[in-house]
Amino acid sequence: QVQLVESGGGLVHPGGSLRLSCEASGFLISSYTMAWYRQAPGKECERVATIAGFSGETNYAESAEGRFTISRDTASRTVYLQMNNLKPDDTAEYYCWAPLGGGTTQPCPVRGYWGQGTQVTVSS
């Protein structure tokens, strides 16, 4: 059974850091491109970062470049998003995504399998 479980969100001051985790089950993360998306109130969904399945190549949104790092641990089937120098504009619900079917939720208009989300709030 496919499952994505995010954790690691919370409240942080501007300039602070958080590491989000996405524990996957039911499939091998090394076989698929995985992604982190975010949805802020009143804004469109944004794909923040991706990590390719076989190559591990990473890509970032311009807003995340230089501050966020996506990585994975294939042994534990976990995808991470390290976020540094956080800004108030980073406040959003963050979702883990995999290009698989069978999901029951779709927080962003992208087909695939979604986690339940983890809230990140950046505020002083």
Side-chain angles (χ1 to χ4, degrees):
Q1 180 181 357
V2 174
Q3 195 171 15
L4 298 172
V5 180
E6 300 101 330
S7 62
L11 173 64
V12 63
H13 293 311
S17 299
L18 283 174
R19 188 176 79 158
L20 306 184
S21 299
C22 171
E23 294 185 45
S25 56
F27 68 101
L28 297 177
I29 61 172
S30 56
S31 297
Y32 299 92
T33 292
M34 301 289 293
W36 284 96
Y37 283 79
R38 67 185 180 186
Q39 170 84 75
K43 296 183 179 180
E44 295 185 354
C45 278
E46 180 182 26
R47 189 177 67 187
V48 176
T50 63
I51 184 165
F54 295 107
S55 70
E57 180 180 350
T58 59
N59 281 284
Y60 299 92
E62 185 175 340
S63 59
E65 190 76 55
R67 300 187 299 126
F68 294 5
T69 302
I70 188 171
S71 62
R72 67 187 180 189
D73 179 347
T74 55
S76 65
R77 300 189 184 188
T78 303
V79 179
Y80 301 99
L81 185 68
Q82 177 68 43
M83 305 186 294
N84 298 327
N85 191 21
L86 282 161
K87 305 174 181 180
D89 281 351
D90 296 316
T91 295
E93 189 82 7
Y94 284 71
Y95 297 93
C96 183
W97 175 91
L100 301 170
T104 57
T105 63
Q106 191 174 1
C108 297
V110 177
R111 291 183 177 181
Y113 205 95
W114 295 85
Q116 84 286 356
T118 186
Q119 176 68 37
V120 172
T121 302
V122 185
S123 175
S124 55

